[in-house]
């Protein structure tokens, strides 16, 4: 990883050469790059959300998500993701105060939270697919799977990214001098959390207007 | 139940607002030997407060679906959307430190919101055609 190599090289020099306070935006190049990446990644999610909204509004009737999806189970997954975001900021706080042990612990906790979330999503998917509710049977399911799977892949990517940084932590590469590297991985992770917060409300919680609820065929034992 | 619910929501909102106030202890913690990061200090208390707010708001969201569904669909959807936006705002402002960044950076990273609005508006005619007279 070139990022860790650069971090290692920077041990005796301020990172970057121009003091951060003197840059136009007051952030390191890496942090600005992550923000730009998040901007374009955000548009990817916006595309899927817009397609979902258009399809849902266009449909004369729509199934009630509360009848087909496990709301309480998903609320627990949301809770775990929020907790992992907190452990991420605590990891950053530890890095900024040069507490390497605490940094390794909190980043490890964040990875554990991400893995728990992925496990929960695997459990949810396997049950839904076992019940015959596959992406192909209804726009409700195709939009549901594309949104949650796109988000799930981001969680997977985040877990891999954080594991790479965590291995660096185990080797003692991260501390006060390069805490911005922890902040950058944190930005990515909080973005994934933020998207889930929106997704949980708009996909899982909001039911259709009372007169426009579709009696889902997969609930009545019909087609599906 | 209804009144209790909104009371809880207002409490959380006030709590979040209090949590976001610039923490005075952070400045003193910074002064006691962390000169290199004097402007950052420690936001640990703020982080915990935001985490509690996010958790409580999530619980309130699930409760809203349970309790407001029979009362008023519009009120439920409005409450859900407001609480979700508050949560998203808290994550972006505190966890992602946008509250502590320069305004130029905040404006740059908010650009997708504008494009998102264009995309949603652009798709509206397709959706609205359903209710237009043929």
């Amino acid at each position: 990883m070139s990022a860790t190599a650069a971090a290692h090289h920077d041990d005796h020099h301020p990172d970057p050469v121009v003091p951060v306070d003197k840059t136009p935006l007051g952030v390191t190049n890496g942090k600005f790059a992550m923000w730009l990446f998040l901007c374009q990644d955000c548009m990817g999610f916006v595309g899927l959300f817009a397609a979902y909204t258009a399809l849902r509004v266009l449909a004369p009737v729509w199934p009630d998500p509360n009848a087909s999806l496990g709301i309480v189970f998903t609320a627990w997954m949301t809770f775990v993701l929020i907790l992992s975001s907190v452990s991420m900021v605590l990891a950053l706080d530890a890095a900024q105060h040069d507490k390497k042990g605490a940094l390794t612990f909190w980043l490890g906790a964040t990875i554990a939270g991400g893995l728990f979330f992925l496990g929960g999503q695997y459990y949810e998917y396997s049950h839904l697919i076992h019940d015959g509710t596959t992406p192909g049977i209804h726009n409700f399911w195709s939009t549901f799977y594309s949104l949650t799977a796109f988000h799930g892949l981001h969680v997977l990517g985040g877990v891999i990214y954080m594991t790479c940084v965590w291995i660096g932590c185990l080797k003692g590469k991260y501390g006060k001098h390069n805490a911005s590297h922890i902040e950058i991985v944190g930005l990515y992770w909080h973005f994934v959390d933020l998207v889930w917060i929106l997704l949980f409300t708009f996909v899982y919680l909001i039911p259709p207007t009372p007169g426009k609820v579709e009696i889902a065929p997969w609930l009545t034992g019909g087609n599906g | 139940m209804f009144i209790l619910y909104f009371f809880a929501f207002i409490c959380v909102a006030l709590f979040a607002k209090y949590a976001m106030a610039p923490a005075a202890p952070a400045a003193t913690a910074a002064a006691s030997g962390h000169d290199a990061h004097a402007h950052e200090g420690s936001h640990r208390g703020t982080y915990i407060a935001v985490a509690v707010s996010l958790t409580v708001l999530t619980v309130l969201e699930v409760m809203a679906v349970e309790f407001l569904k029979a009362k008023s669909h519009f009120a439920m959807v409005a409450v859900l959307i407001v609480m979700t936006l508050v949560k998203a705002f808290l994550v972006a402002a505190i966890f992602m430190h946008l509250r502590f960044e320069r305004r130029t950076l905040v404006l740059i990273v908010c650009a997708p919101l504008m494009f998102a609005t264009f995309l949603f508006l652009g798709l509206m005619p397709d959706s609205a055609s359903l209710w237009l007279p043929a």
Side-chain angles (χ1 to χ4, degrees):
Chain A
M1 250 181 104
S2 60
T4 40
H8 199 65
H9 178 256
D10 283 339
D11 273 356
H12 304 291
H13 301 283
D15 174 22
V17 179
V18 176
V20 170
D21 290 344
K22 297 279 193 293
T23 59
L25 296 169
V27 295
T28 60
N29 290 344
K31 195 168 151 187
F32 185 53
M34 179 50 88
W35 268 115
L36 289 187
F37 167 73
L38 293 183
C39 285
Q40 66 91 11
D41 206 22
C42 173
M43 287 314 290
F45 277 107
V46 166
L48 288 174
F49 269 108
Y52 163 69
T53 311
L55 285 170
R56 183 167 169 171
V57 174
L58 188 59
V61 288
W62 192 262
D64 184 353
N66 304 316
S68 302
L69 301 168
I71 301 299
V72 174
F73 177 73
T74 321
W76 278 106
M77 275 163 68
T78 309
F79 178 60
V80 169
L81 212 54
I82 288 171
L83 282 190
S84 78
S85 248
V86 181
S87 57
M88 189 74 232
V89 281
L90 292 177
L92 172 64
D93 194 70
Q96 283 170 345
H97 293 92
D98 221 19
K99 296 174 188 158
K100 295 192 177 179
L103 166 61
T104 311
F105 173 79
W106 287 119
L107 194 61
T110 313
I111 296 170
L115 286 175
F116 186 92
F117 184 88
L118 284 174
Q121 204 161 31
Y122 173 79
Y123 175 83
E124 182 190 28
Y125 273 20
S126 59
H127 271 249
L128 289 175
I129 288 171
H130 180 259
D131 293 345
T133 45
T134 49
I137 63 170
H138 194 285
N139 274 347
F140 174 83
W141 291 110
S142 59
T143 50
F144 167 81
Y145 279 107
S146 33
L147 276 163
T148 52
F150 194 52
H151 177 269
L153 287 175
H154 277 79
V155 176
L156 180 63
V159 166
I160 294 169
Y161 181 10
M162 288 191 297
T163 308
C164 294
V165 177
W166 194 60
I167 291 169
C169 287
L170 288 179
K171 293 178 180 169
K173 280 183 181 168
Y174 294 99
K176 194 174 174 177
H177 63 289
N178 54 5
S180 75
H181 294 247
I182 307 296
E183 189 173 9
I184 291 167
V185 65
L187 282 178
Y188 177 81
W189 192 249
H190 300 314
F191 173 74
V192 171
D193 184 29
L194 200 158
V195 169
W196 182 259
I197 285 172
L198 299 175
L199 208 155
F200 180 59
T201 298
F202 291 107
V203 175
Y204 283 84
L205 287 183
I206 294 186
T209 324
K212 294 180 176 173
V213 181
E214 179 177 358
I215 306 301
W218 57 85
L219 291 177
T220 56
N223 157 45
Chain B
M1 192 66 227
F2 204 71
I3 294 165
L4 265 180
Y5 186 85
F6 276 97
F7 179 71
F9 176 64
I10 288 166
C11 285
V12 174
L14 286 177
F15 181 62
K17 191 175 183 309
Y18 168 76
M20 284 180 60
T28 48
S32 65
H34 296 287
D35 294 329
H37 289 279
H39 61 291
E40 285 177 3
S42 178
H43 298 300
R44 224 173 307 170
T46 314
Y47 294 151
I48 302 295
V50 170
V52 172
S53 308
L54 290 175
T55 307
V56 174
L57 282 170
T58 304
V59 173
L60 285 180
E61 278 179 347
V62 176
M63 281 170 63
V65 176
E66 284 292 316
F67 296 117
L68 297 183
K69 202 177 196 174
K71 303 242 178 200
S72 157
H73 182 80
F74 178 78
M76 176 187 63
V77 173
V79 161
L80 283 178
I81 290 178
V82 167
M83 288 199 290
T84 302
L85 292 182
V86 168
K87 283 165 77 182
F89 178 80
L90 280 176
V91 171
I94 305 295
F95 285 175
M96 299 173 92
H97 304 125
L98 275 187
R99 194 176 146 75
F100 314 109
E101 302 288 5
R102 291 188 192 168
R103 188 171 295 172
T104 321
L105 182 69
V106 178
L107 288 176
I108 290 173
V109 303
C110 284
L113 296 180
M114 186 178 68
F115 291 115
T117 313
F118 288 160
L119 187 56
F120 275 89
L121 289 180
L123 290 174
M124 267 307 128
D126 276 355
S127 312
S129 65
L130 186 70
W131 292 292
L132 293 179

